[in-house]
Amino acid sequence: MKHHPKPWKGFVLSGIVSSAGYALLFAYLNDQEVMRVFMQKDKWYLPVLVAFAFSFAHGAFTGYFWEMLGIRAKPPAKKG
């Protein structure tokens, strides 16, 4: 079995970015303000961009989390 170094820097950085995003959205912005900004017809792309940013940050953190625990995806079987 191969030893893989733990990605501490990526784990911590993605955790901070993900946590900060959720903290900013839920603690510092109230729901009326979020809805007011996101429901503007000329800014239809804002909810999509925010959802993409949250998905990316949370997905990166989750990937690093599992890697820190030593759980990795099984490599695909070679064909042929």
Side-chain angles (χ1 to χ4, degrees):
M1 189 159 108
K2 236 180 177 182
H3 172 42
H4 298 283
K6 305 263 188 215
W8 284 102
K9 187 166 59 168
F11 175 70
V12 171
L13 184 62
S14 63
I16 290 170
V17 169
S18 184
S19 298
Y22 283 110
L24 177 67
L25 186 64
F26 291 121
Y28 296 111
L29 298 175
N30 61 36
D31 57 341
Q32 286 87 19
E33 181 67 16
V34 171
M35 289 300 288
R36 185 187 67 75
V37 170
F38 281 3
M39 296 304 290
Q40 295 176 12
K41 291 190 189 278
D42 60 336
K43 302 218 171 145
W44 59 268
Y45 54 88
L46 280 178
V48 175
L49 290 176
V50 169
F52 181 74
F54 273 83
S55 177
F56 184 77
H58 185 76
F61 174 71
T62 303
Y64 285 125
F65 172 79
W66 290 118
E67 197 168 335
M68 293 293 290
L69 292 178
I71 300 171
R72 302 178 131 248
K74 183 178 177 181
K78 293 182 182 180
K79 293 183 180 182

